[in-house]
Amino acid sequence: MTSTQWGGLVALVAIAVTALSLIALHLLPTGLSPLRDPVSRYGITRFRAGYASAALSAGVAGIGSLVAVAALPGSLPTVVLLAVFAAARILIPFFPMDAPDAATTTTGRVHNLLAVLAFGGVIAAMFVAAGMLHDAGFATAGLVATIGGVVGVVGTVLMLVSRRSPSLAWGFGFGERLIYLAFIVWIAVLGLSALAS
């Protein structure tokens, strides 16, 4: 197997773990709202192991993805952005968010910074990778990257707007889950494409 194929395999297996962990968290009796509550809130409940599994496996999927594209022409910006995403995802379970009714802490601030780096990194990676993947013969992964980037931006806007408008408070969790959906689907398609190359 080539490095592209190995990276694709790692990305595919790891992102499957991410998806399964998130599905389990949403089916368990956590008491959290998928529309209102951020995914990170699972990390400050008794279900934090499921959150850690989702975050760590997403980081590993990011590493697999950057290995999968590293040999492609023009891949350096994508590799750097995926490295930022992977590092932030791997670190974030160790810096839990502050509880909604608690005072702001340094740990909570670090958590927020890591969340911005993770989401910003992967959304940017999708946009940057789209043309490079298309030109390298991975047209489907390139198209899904473009769509995923757009979905990620929509999710980000919804999260930001929901913070400013009480009537849209339901949109924060939903917007965040749009970003998760976008990068999970993209990494899965990228993994499959790399594995088949």
Side-chain angles (χ1 to χ4, degrees):
M1 289 177 75
T2 66
S3 62
T4 296
Q5 290 169 325
W6 274 115
L9 178 61
V10 170
L12 192 58
V13 171
I15 207 65
V17 173
T18 303
L20 291 172
S21 298
L22 291 171
I23 290 168
L25 285 172
H26 286 76
L27 294 176
L28 289 167
T30 62
L32 299 181
S33 166
L35 292 179
R36 291 180 179 273
D37 293 311
V39 173
S40 297
R41 194 158 176 193
Y42 293 110
I44 56 172
T45 70
R46 63 191 178 97
F47 301 97
R48 60 186 165 272
Y51 171 73
S53 172
L56 293 170
S57 59
V60 173
I63 294 169
S65 298
L66 71 86
V67 170
V69 302
L72 303 180
S75 65
L76 182 59
T78 303
V79 167
V80 171
L81 290 166
L82 284 171
V84 170
F85 166 74
R89 286 285 89 188
I90 289 169
L91 290 172
I92 205 164
F94 303 101
F95 297 91
M97 68 174 281
D98 294 321
D101 53 351
T104 302
T105 65
T106 300
T107 299
R109 288 189 189 96
V110 172
H111 175 90
N112 292 340
L113 174 62
L114 290 171
V116 169
L117 289 172
F119 291 150
V122 78
I123 291 169
M126 287 187 278
F127 280 120
V128 169
M132 178 267 298
L133 288 168
H134 182 273
D135 293 347
F138 297 95
T140 302
L143 176 61
V144 173
T146 300
I147 295 169
V150 171
V151 171
V153 168
V154 170
T156 302
V157 170
L158 188 52
M159 289 171 68
L160 293 173
V161 170
S162 71
R163 286 291 193 203
R164 309 249 184 304
S165 173
S167 64
L168 290 175
W170 59 266
F172 188 89
F174 180 69
E176 187 180 35
R177 283 158 179 83
L178 284 178
I179 299 171
Y180 271 91
L181 178 64
F183 78 71
I184 288 170
V185 171
W186 176 57
I187 290 176
V189 171
L190 177 60
L192 285 169
S193 300
L195 196 54
S197 65

